[in-house]
Amino acid sequence: MGAGHAHRLYRPAHSRVHALPPHTKLAAAFAFVIVVVSTPREAVWAFAVYAVLLAGVARAAHVPAAFLLRRLLIEVPFVAFAVLMPFVAQGERVEVLGMSLSVSGLWGAWNVLAKGTLGVATSVLLASTTELRELLLGLQRLKLPPLLVQIASFMIRYGDVITDEMRRMRIARESRGFEARGVRHWGVLAKSAGALFIRSYERGERVHLAMVSRGYAGSMPVIDEVTASRAQWSYAFALPVTALAVCVLGWSL
């Protein structure tokens, strides 16, 4: 399986987290997120413990805090949604700094912010310590449907190709004096999008024919067989198992 493109989130380093097999990190990250989502929102201290656990993983993986915080900016739209919840939610209200806010809305906003931030941070740490090609191998090792793995592989492989095609079309438009300034230019942009779709579709047909001519029969050959020892599984699941203990304690209190 190819798709050896490097992505911007990945940070090369020599750490035990980087060295873990990709399927162990995928399974551990998924389990951790499930535990976080299952935690009652009233257990505020539990979310603080989860943040400390993720900070420990980041330290072990040599991922700087500044790098992690910059990547967390992707959740800004969710933050905006959460900020509105105390103002629009119904039910019991409370005065905060002269503003009437909904109690259920405040808890809902906290729930979205806490769980969303921890989930995004987990994804960023996973991407920071695992190359795209390894992620695909990990998904394959976890028995994800082969068709989905192949679609993800082609998407990663040809995403840059389609982006370059779009860039060349933009340069061609601008070299002819075109500049989108309002609604009246949307027609040109729509035609460009249609042309890009046709070119992408035709490229996909050519790639498929080339693969078939080389023996492709619906599945990609596995070049690297990824395995994990019991010690590696134990090290990877130290995070979700610890979080599960915190979650259970949060429900019991």
Side-chain angles (χ1 to χ4, degrees):
M1 186 179 300
H5 295 75
H7 59 90
R8 296 178 181 177
L9 284 178
Y10 180 69
R11 286 186 61 87
H14 297 286
S15 71
R16 292 187 64 183
V17 180
H18 284 77
L20 285 173
H23 55 290
T24 64
K25 288 186 280 188
L26 281 165
F30 179 76
F32 177 76
V33 171
I34 292 298
V35 172
V36 170
V37 173
S38 303
T39 304
R41 63 186 184 183
E42 292 79 10
V44 178
W45 62 271
F47 296 103
V49 175
Y50 297 154
V52 172
L53 291 175
L54 286 181
V57 174
R59 182 179 178 85
H62 307 307
V63 177
F67 176 87
L68 182 60
L69 292 175
R70 284 198 304 270
R71 296 304 184 271
L72 287 178
L73 292 177
I74 194 174
E75 68 165 344
V76 167
F78 298 98
V79 173
F81 171 75
V83 169
L84 292 176
M85 291 181 66
F87 296 95
V88 300
Q90 302 298 320
E92 180 185 356
R93 307 192 75 82
V94 63
E95 291 289 331
V96 178
L97 300 177
M99 297 179 292
S100 177
L101 304 178
S102 168
V103 174
S104 61
L106 287 171
W107 278 116
W110 160 251
N111 195 48
V112 171
L113 286 175
K115 296 181 179 180
T117 301
L118 290 170
V120 173
T122 304
S123 301
V124 171
L125 284 175
L126 176 63
S128 301
T129 58
T130 316
E131 295 186 21
L132 285 176
R133 178 176 175 275
E134 292 182 347
L135 284 174
L136 295 174
L137 290 172
L139 292 174
Q140 189 177 55
R141 183 69 179 177
L142 292 174
K143 304 302 181 181
L144 195 75
L147 182 59
L148 295 181
V149 178
Q150 291 180 47
I151 291 174
S153 176
F154 290 129
M155 180 185 68
I156 294 170
R157 181 183 295 276
Y158 290 100
D160 292 337
V161 177
I162 302 303
T163 301
D164 288 340
E165 187 74 29
M166 184 169 60
R167 180 181 57 81
R168 288 193 294 269
M169 293 175 66
R170 177 181 59 81
I171 293 175
R173 291 195 306 268
E174 293 177 352
S175 66
R176 290 165 175 79
F178 175 80
E179 184 177 353
R181 294 182 177 177
V183 178
R184 60 193 181 93
H185 293 127
W186 285 6
V188 177
L189 297 177
K191 292 178 181 178
S192 298
L196 179 63
F197 173 78
I198 296 298
R199 293 185 185 184
S200 302
Y201 182 84
E202 291 177 344
R203 184 187 296 273
E205 288 293 312
R206 293 194 300 270
V207 170
H208 178 260
L209 291 175
M211 292 172 60
V212 171
S213 67
R214 289 164 173 79
Y216 175 74
S219 61
M220 299 292 287
V222 179
I223 300 176
D224 299 322
E225 185 67 24
V226 182
T227 59
S229 65
R230 183 176 298 179
Q232 289 174 320
W233 276 109
S234 300
Y235 184 71
F237 265 78
L239 173 66
V241 169
T242 305
L244 179 60
V246 174
C247 178
V248 172
L249 184 59
W251 278 106
S252 62
L253 293 180

